[in-house]
């Protein structure tokens, strides 16, 4: 049935196939990976499994090997992303063909496979053995404390600033009880394209944070630092500086903090941080446009504990 189709398992350095891949990604998701590639951030932990016909990418499932730290233990997963099929070739089993190739290569090498799906395909992934799981959101009130030194904006349009952020990511320690480890390419996919004005440096902590404001909420997406930094301390440093001007919000208008990751102790999984749980309001993450589906050990973890995959770990 697919005798004229080849599965090519890494098209990164083939200019013609990469261009075809980008055209399909733009048509499907409005995404283009060329700048990411040209800036040197597309590395070996983003691996397209591309269905190629007559030199054109007509379907794809990308594999993202991921390492996470949970309670000091490293876990190895793969995240699937950029799942797409050209409209002219849908309904021909190409996604099944690619999923089977991924399973064959990776099922015995990682503890779990997971992905995030939008509301148009919620019934699709269970056909491949994936189970939807519930993520959590973590909120805390913002307090009016004065930090030693305020946060400084660091524009990511400057290559030197991007290099400094990459160094901080690689040298940093986990900042939450379920945190992605050592994946600067994925963080810089966001920081170099969509969040170029959302990166801040905290001099008092030698920490880098990615944060934004939405309504009355300060969204703390990520912290990168050589030591753990309390999210409320990071928020205080942001609010003491030009963060308000960046988002055109008046002082005092931001009343709560939301972490885009699982703060230490908030999930109740680590007795060392038990006192932290009461500091956080935990709500289910209700989002059919970014629903999480898993296979393997993650199914049990998310059924028993309150966790959130870091927002900037979504590939």
């Amino acid at each position: 049935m697919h005798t004229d189709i080849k599965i090519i398992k890494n098209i990164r350095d083939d200019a013609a196939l990469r261009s075809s891949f980008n055209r399909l990604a733009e048509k499907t998701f409005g995404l283009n990976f060329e700048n990411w590639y040209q800036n040197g951030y597309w590395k070996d932990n983003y691996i397209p499994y591309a269905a190629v016909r007559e030199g054109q990418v007509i379907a794809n499932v990308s594999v993202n090997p991921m390492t996470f730290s949970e309670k000091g233990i490293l876990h190895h997963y793969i995240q699937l992303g950029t799942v797409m099929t050209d409209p002219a070739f849908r309904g021909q089993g190409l996604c099944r063909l690619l999923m089977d190739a991924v399973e064959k290569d990776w099922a015995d090498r990682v503890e779990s496979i997971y992905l995030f799906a939008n509301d148009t395909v919620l019934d699709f992934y269970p056909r491949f053995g994936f189970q939807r799981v519930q993520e959590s959101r973590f909120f805390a009130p913002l307090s009016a404390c004065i930090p030693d030194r305020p946060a400084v904006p660091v524009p990511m349009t400057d290559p030197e600033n991007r290099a400094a952020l990459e160094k901080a990511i690689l040298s940093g320690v986990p900042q939450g009880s379920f945190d992605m480890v050592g994946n600067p390419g994925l963080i810089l996919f966001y920081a170099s394209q969509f969040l170029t004005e959302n990166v801040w440096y905290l001099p008092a902590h030698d920490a880098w944070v990615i944060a934004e404001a939405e309504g009355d909420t300060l969204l703390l997406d990520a912290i990168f630092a050589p030591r753990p930094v309390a999210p409320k301390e990071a928020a205080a440093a942001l609010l003491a500086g030009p963060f308000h001007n960046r988002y055109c919000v008046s002082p005092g208008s931001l009343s709560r903090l939301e972490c885009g990751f699982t703060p230490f102790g908030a999930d109740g999984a680590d007795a060392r941080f038990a006192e932290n749980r009461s500091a956080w309001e935990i709500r289910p993450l209700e989002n059919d446009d970014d629903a999480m589906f898993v296979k393997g050990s993650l199914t049990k973890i998310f059924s028993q504990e309150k966790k959130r995959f870091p927002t900037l770990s979504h590939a």
Side-chain angles (χ1 to χ4, degrees):
M1 179 179 178
H2 300 298
T3 55
D4 60 339
I5 295 173
K6 297 179 180 179
I7 297 177
I8 298 181
K9 299 179 184 179
N10 199 335
I11 52 84
R12 179 186 62 190
D13 296 321
D14 185 312
L17 287 178
R18 190 176 68 248
S19 178
S20 178
F21 171 85
N22 281 324
R23 287 195 297 272
L24 182 57
E26 281 197 333
K27 182 161 57 174
T28 308
F29 302 113
L31 292 175
N32 190 302
F33 295 81
E34 189 62 22
N35 284 341
W36 190 48
Y37 171 81
Q38 294 297 338
N39 287 330
Y41 302 132
W42 181 344
K43 300 184 185 295
D44 292 339
N45 49 2
Y46 181 75
I47 310 167
Y49 277 53
V52 177
R53 178 178 180 272
E54 297 179 354
Q56 299 298 310
V57 176
I58 60 172
N60 181 79
V61 174
S62 289
V63 169
N64 303 264
M66 313 285 284
T67 300
F68 277 81
S69 173
E70 184 189 14
K71 291 175 283 188
I73 299 172
L74 297 182
H75 297 272
H76 302 285
Y77 311 127
I78 60 167
Q79 179 182 179
L80 305 184
T82 330
V83 180
M84 56 187 179
T85 302
D86 188 287
F89 296 93
R90 291 176 184 168
Q92 299 182 22
L94 294 178
C95 188
R96 169 71 68 179
L97 183 72
L98 295 171
M99 286 284 201
D100 287 347
V102 170
E103 289 264 5
K104 181 179 178 182
D105 287 353
W106 292 93
D108 295 332
R109 298 166 59 185
V110 294
E111 299 167 55
S112 272
I113 303 173
Y114 70 97
L115 56 86
F116 296 91
N118 63 44
D119 59 0
T120 65
V121 289
L122 297 181
D123 296 327
F124 181 68
Y125 290 106
R127 302 176 197 172
F128 298 92
F130 287 87
Q131 178 179 333
R132 184 172 182 178
V133 298
Q134 179 71 68
E135 290 187 273
S136 297
R137 302 174 74 182
F138 300 92
F139 296 93
L142 286 172
S143 56
C145 59
I146 306 301
D148 293 335
R149 285 180 283 177
V152 178
V154 188
M156 288 292 106
T157 49
D158 186 334
E160 291 187 4
N161 290 342
R162 295 198 300 268
L165 174 59
E166 182 174 12
K167 182 179 179 180
I169 295 168
L170 288 171
S171 62
V173 301
Q175 297 292 325
S177 60
F178 188 67
D179 208 6
M180 183 173 69
V181 175
N183 196 336
L186 182 52
I187 300 297
L188 283 157
F189 175 76
Y190 288 101
S192 66
Q193 299 186 83
F194 313 111
L195 302 173
T196 57
E197 303 299 322
N198 300 79
V199 179
W200 305 79
Y201 179 68
L202 280 55
H205 301 280
D206 188 22
W208 295 67
V209 301
I210 299 178
E212 51 198 310
E214 185 176 288
D216 65 350
T217 303
L218 191 161
L219 303 174
L220 184 59
D221 291 324
I223 303 172
F224 307 103
R227 296 169 299 279
V229 177
K232 287 189 177 182
E233 291 184 13
L238 288 166
L239 295 179
F243 185 83
H244 294 97
N245 296 334
R246 168 69 180 84
Y247 292 98
C248 300
V249 294
S250 59
S253 63
L254 297 175
S255 59
R256 66 176 183 171
L257 166 68
E258 179 177 4
C259 273
F261 52 92
T262 308
F264 280 121
D267 56 356
D270 193 333
R272 293 174 300 170
F273 302 97
E275 71 279 3
N276 289 6
R277 187 164 195 180
S278 62
W280 296 94
E281 176 190 355
I282 304 175
R283 300 181 188 177
L285 176 58
E286 306 288 357
N287 187 0
D288 281 351
D289 201 41
D290 207 17
M292 184 179 173
F293 287 84
V294 305
K295 296 175 74 170
S297 62
L298 281 170
T299 306
K300 183 177 181 180
I301 290 173
F302 275 80
S303 68
Q304 295 180 342
E305 300 170 6
K306 306 294 186 183
K307 292 192 183 297
R308 182 173 191 174
F309 260 91
T311 55
L312 299 187
S313 72
H314 293 211

